[in-house]
Every structure is written in C-alpha cells, then in structure tokens.
Amino acid sequence: MGIINVTPDSFYDGGETTHKDSILQQAEKMLSEGATFLDVGGYSSRPNAIAIPEEEEISRVVPAIKSILDEFPETLISIDTFRSQVAKKAVEAGACLVNDISGGSLDEAMFTTVAKMQVPYVLMHMRGTPQTMTQQTDYNDITIEVIRFFSGQIAKARLAGINDIIIDPGFGFAKTKEQSFELLQKVELLKQLDAPILAGISRKSMIYKTLNISAKEALNGTTVLNTLALQKGTSILRVHDVKEAVECIKLTEMLTPYL
C-alpha cells in the first residue's frame, strides 16, 4: 500500500504531493514499482497535527482520487480518513477501501457508512486523537489491550454489516517507541482475530528516534522492520517507498517453503 499524503504537514512528505502533477507523478512511480493499493489521505495524523474541517479534507482527497483514476483507471485506491462523510465522498469518487486510523472510535457513523458502501475496511488501534494521543500511552499490557480493542470493534463492525476487515496495530499511535517495538515483537498474536494484518511502520519515529536519525534517513530501518513484520504474519505493508517494500515481500516469500 503506497502512501499519497495530499497534506501540507505530514511528518515525512508533507507538501510534496499537494498538486495534481506531483500526485500523478507519485502515483505512477508507486504503481510502476508494484503497489497494490494507493492510500490517499488529506488529514495529517502525525502527533499534534492541526485539525482541519471536514470540508477541507474532502476538497483535498476527492480531486486527488479522481485525477489518479482518470490517469490510471485500474488503480485500487484506499481513503485514509476517520470521518464517515469523507469516506463516503471518496468512495463515490472511486476509492474502494476505507482506512480508518481510529478504528471507528472517532465517528459513530463510520461502521454503518462503510457497511452501506460494502467496501473493505482497515480498522486501526489508536487512543484519543492525533492531537491527544501522545498523552494516552498508559497500558498494563499493550498487546492484550490492543487485542481486546480489536475484538470489540470487529464485533461492532460485523454487526453493522462490514464483511471484509483488515486490522492495523497502529504503531506509534498512542504508543511509546518501546510499546511499538513490544507490539511488533508480539504481532503474530493478532492472527487469532482471523483478520489480515496491515503494518504501517514506514519511516516512523520508532525507527528514527531509536537510530538518532531523521525520517528521511529511515528507509533502511523501515526495510528491516517491514521484513520482521512479514515474517510474523503481516499481510500488507503501508509504505512511502514501494520498490523496497516489494523487494521485502519477494525475498520473504522465498523463505516460505522452508518455514
């Protein structure tokens, strides 16, 4: 899943893909490198990001989705949003998957909206909002509490009528660096939930703060952790760098017959 942030303030690539030409250039690059999905987001979810109105988010993502599909009509696009109306407008514009960082906890209409549209849904674990999540990292056992959250939200989503659910542990979202590593170490335990696992580790602070480098220098660290995530049962990698992620997948798949 290649990341296309149509925001001016995302933590790594903010402002780089806010115009039609740059969006299409990035889409073409990612598709040529082997991306299965393009994940379009118009609301920066980095810690302490500025909250924007729903209308502004829609005005960012809908034209981007339409432009990509006009140029590359076979593209599978996911919409990265926690707002049901943004999801609805994006799917009407051609998106075919909803990627919700809040796992349905920030918009009570999200589950029913996704169910009506009958598209797959990525349910991520997070506490609070991007503005408050760094103050909500008190867990007794991070893995148990994440599994408990997923169990409850998956049940609610299925009751609403959502059939295809993917889970995302939410590395870095309301989690310290150490908690994110602990969750990655135990991520195979999430397979008991019987849903594909998506890992969004790409260039995150758990990498660059550990290595005392910048996000722009964190590709090698991303590749290392993506490889570990794949070996632990992750099905989808959400990344800024598609070529390297595809290489991880191909090489890891070569190990499968020997496991």
Side-chain angles (χ1 to χ4, degrees):
M1 179 181 282
I3 301 167
I4 297 187
N5 287 318
V6 289
T7 58
D9 57 342
S10 291
F11 80 96
Y12 167 61
D13 55 359
E16 292 185 6
T17 48
T18 55
H19 303 290
K20 181 179 178 179
D21 288 347
S22 58
I23 290 167
L24 292 178
Q25 184 178 13
Q26 181 75 319
E28 183 176 27
K29 179 175 185 289
M30 288 181 163
L31 292 170
S32 68
E33 290 176 348
T36 308
F37 306 94
L38 297 182
D39 193 42
V40 176
Y43 184 114
S44 175
S45 57
R46 65 178 175 81
N48 303 310
I50 297 171
I52 62 168
E54 192 173 273
E55 296 75 16
E56 184 174 350
E57 187 180 354
I58 291 170
S59 72
R60 291 176 179 180
V61 298
V62 167
I65 292 167
K66 288 181 176 179
S67 294
I68 293 169
L69 290 174
D70 283 346
E71 192 74 17
F72 311 105
E74 300 301 312
T75 305
L76 301 177
I77 294 180
S78 61
I79 174 63
D80 176 6
T81 186
F82 56 83
R83 290 165 164 163
S84 61
Q85 280 305 301
V86 178
K88 182 175 183 291
K89 295 291 186 184
V91 171
E92 288 172 350
C96 62
L97 183 151
V98 175
N99 180 15
D100 179 3
I101 62 167
S102 80
S105 62
L106 291 180
D107 186 337
E108 61 183 18
M110 181 61 90
F111 287 165
T112 54
T113 301
V114 173
K116 286 178 182 176
M117 297 187 296
Q118 283 297 290
V119 294
Y121 178 68
V122 179
L123 197 161
M124 196 189 86
H125 174 273
M126 180 179 72
R127 284 178 170 179
T129 68
Q131 293 74 35
T132 65
M133 63 184 178
T134 56
Q135 285 80 52
Q136 301 196 40
T137 58
D138 54 322
Y139 301 91
N140 291 320
D141 185 308
I142 181 73
T143 309
I144 289 175
E145 292 184 48
V146 167
I147 290 172
R148 187 178 297 135
F149 169 84
F150 281 136
S151 294
Q153 293 302 97
I154 289 171
K156 291 177 186 176
R158 295 210 185 283
L159 187 63
I162 300 175
N163 296 315
D164 300 304
I165 298 173
I166 299 159
I167 56 174
D168 177 353
F171 297 109
F173 285 83
K175 299 167 188 72
T176 64
K177 176 181 66 176
E178 292 77 15
Q179 288 166 345
S180 290
F181 274 103
E182 181 180 350
L183 194 55
L184 177 59
Q185 174 65 20
K186 299 177 181 179
V187 77
E188 67 266 28
L189 296 177
L190 300 185
K191 290 194 286 186
Q192 66 185 276
L193 296 161
D194 197 27
I197 301 168
L198 180 151
I201 305 172
S202 184
R203 296 183 180 268
K204 284 190 172 175
S205 62
M206 64 185 289
I207 299 169
Y208 63 76
K209 287 184 178 178
T210 298
L211 301 176
N212 294 314
I213 57 176
S214 68
K216 291 191 179 297
E217 299 170 295
L219 175 55
N220 185 58
T222 297
T223 299
V224 171
L225 296 191
N226 277 340
T227 303
L228 291 172
L230 289 167
Q231 290 181 320
K232 289 177 175 291
T234 292
S235 300
I236 302 170
L237 300 176
R238 182 180 182 274
V239 298
H240 298 90
D241 310 278
V242 170
K243 177 178 178 290
E244 290 78 3
V246 169
E247 289 175 352
C248 281
I249 292 166
K250 287 181 178 178
L251 293 172
T252 305
E253 284 177 342
M254 290 297 295
L255 295 172
T256 303
Y258 310 104
L259 294 177

